[in-house]
Amino acid sequence: MTQVVHPARALWWLFEPVHALTYFSPEARAAYEAAGLRGYWRGYFGGRSAPLGAVDAAPVVAAFFNFAPQMVERALPEVWTLASPEQALEARVEGVTGALRRVLADVKPDLIDRSVELLERAVEGLDCCGRVLAAANADLPRPEGRLARLWQATTVLREHRGDGHVAALVTEGLDGCEALVVRCALDTRRETLQPHRGWSDTEWDEATARLTDRHWLAPDGSLTPEGRRRHLALEAATDLAASRVWTHFHRSELDELLTALRPISAACRADLPPTTPIGLPNAA
C-alpha cells in the first residue's frame, strides 16, 4: 500500500537538502573561514543565527531548541568579535551559492527558475507570527542571482517548518534533549546526534529516564505504542503548521514545483554526507 504523504512534508523532503548544503559543502566552510569564522561550529552558529543580529546565547538556545545550552554558549556571543552578523550573512550566501553552482551544473536552468518563482511566492504568503527564525530570515533583503534566491527561499521555508516543529515538541512536553532521544529511538544512532548537540552522557541518560517514566520509551529504549502515537501526533501537527501557505497553490502548481525540485534536491542530496546530525529526511 502506498503511504499518503502530506504535501507540506513532501515539499520539505525536497527543499531541505538544498538548505543543508550550507552546513556541509567545502565552499560554505571556506567562505565562513575567510570571514573569520574558523572551525565548523563558529560558522554554523554564526551563519544560522546571523539573521537575528548580534545576539547572546539565550535566544539561540531557545530558537535552535535541541542544542545543549553550554554548547551554544561556547560560540555565542564570542563569534561576533570575529565577524559581524552582516559579514556572516555575506559569507553564507557566498559559500552556498558557490556550492549550488557546482552541484547544480547539470540541472536545467528553467527548472531552477520555476522553482525560485514558486518558492518565493510561497515565502511571500507566509505567516511568520510565532516563528522567530523564519521571520528573521524572511526579513532579509532578497539576494541577487537565481541560485542565491533559491537557497534563501528554501531556507525561509525550512526555518518556518522548523519553528512549527519546535512548537509541536513543546506542546508534547518534550525538551531539547528528550526530542533527540526520541529521534534516536526511531531511526538514528545516539552517536550521530549526541556529540553534535553537546549533551553530556548524564543529561542524555536523565532524559531517557524521564521519557521512560512518561511511557514514551520502553525499558530497552525503544518507543512504546504510546510513544509512537504521540510522535505521529507531533509530526502531524508539524505538517499542519507548515501547510497553510500551500493551500493558496493549485494542485497543478504543487505538482509542477515537486517536479522541478526533484532533480535539484537529488543533486544536492548526492553532495551531502550519507549520515548527518541535522535530521535530513529520507529521499522522496
Side-chain angles (χ1 to χ4, degrees):
M1 181 180 295
T2 302
Q3 181 183 7
V4 177
V5 177
H6 196 289
R9 188 178 303 191
L11 286 162
W12 169 59
W13 284 347
L14 293 176
F15 61 66
E16 178 73 5
V18 181
H19 168 81
L21 281 181
T22 194
Y23 306 129
F24 301 107
S25 72
E27 294 89 345
R29 180 70 176 268
Y32 283 131
E33 290 185 349
L37 299 177
R38 295 177 178 83
Y40 177 84
W41 290 111
R42 289 192 181 98
Y44 177 89
F45 286 113
R48 191 176 173 211
S49 70
L52 300 172
V55 293
D56 289 334
V60 175
V61 170
F64 288 16
F65 188 73
N66 60 23
F67 284 90
Q70 60 268 22
M71 184 174 185
V72 183
E73 290 163 358
R74 285 197 293 269
L76 297 171
E78 189 259 348
V79 296
W80 308 129
T81 68
L82 305 173
S84 68
E86 292 77 17
Q87 290 171 321
L89 289 170
E90 290 175 3
R92 77 174 191 170
V93 172
E94 177 186 346
V96 81
T97 301
L100 286 169
R101 188 177 299 113
R102 170 178 56 82
V103 170
L104 301 184
D106 295 328
V107 175
K108 294 179 180 179
D110 62 311
L111 295 179
I112 299 173
D113 288 338
R114 186 55 173 157
S115 295
V116 170
E117 179 184 354
L118 293 171
L119 290 169
E120 287 186 338
R121 178 146 64 98
V123 168
E124 290 168 359
L126 284 179
D127 178 1
C128 290
C129 289
R131 295 175 169 92
V132 172
L133 284 175
N137 279 278
D139 194 48
L140 295 173
R142 178 178 290 179
E144 296 182 2
R146 66 162 65 97
L147 297 179
R149 289 170 60 191
L150 172 71
W151 185 82
Q152 178 68 11
T154 61
T155 294
V156 174
L157 291 166
R158 186 261 193 178
E159 298 291 24
H160 182 273
R161 181 182 176 89
D163 288 338
H165 187 55
V166 169
L169 291 165
V170 172
T171 300
E172 280 292 337
L174 296 175
D175 63 28
C177 190
E178 291 166 356
L180 296 176
V181 172
V182 170
R183 179 61 194 265
C184 287
L186 281 166
D187 59 7
T188 306
R189 291 172 58 84
R190 174 175 175 175
E191 294 79 7
T192 300
L193 289 185
Q194 184 185 349
H196 294 280
R197 294 296 179 262
W199 300 101
S200 68
D201 287 340
T202 297
E203 290 168 325
W204 191 276
D205 293 342
E206 289 175 348
T208 301
R210 292 194 299 272
L211 289 166
T212 303
D213 290 342
R214 286 151 51 195
H215 308 295
W216 278 77
L217 297 182
D220 65 358
S222 63
L223 281 180
T224 64
E226 172 70 3
R228 291 191 176 277
R229 182 191 67 78
R230 295 183 70 175
H231 175 262
L232 288 173
L234 73 85
E235 291 296 332
T238 301
D239 288 339
L240 180 62
S243 66
R244 184 174 177 179
V245 63
W246 303 112
T247 62
H248 302 295
F249 286 72
H250 295 295
R251 180 68 207 205
S252 60
E253 292 175 316
L254 291 177
D255 289 342
E256 186 180 2
L257 179 56
L258 288 165
T259 298
L261 274 177
R262 283 193 181 101
I264 296 170
S265 181
C268 291
R269 180 179 286 274
D271 200 64
L272 298 173
T275 301
T276 74
I278 66 169
L280 197 68
N282 295 325

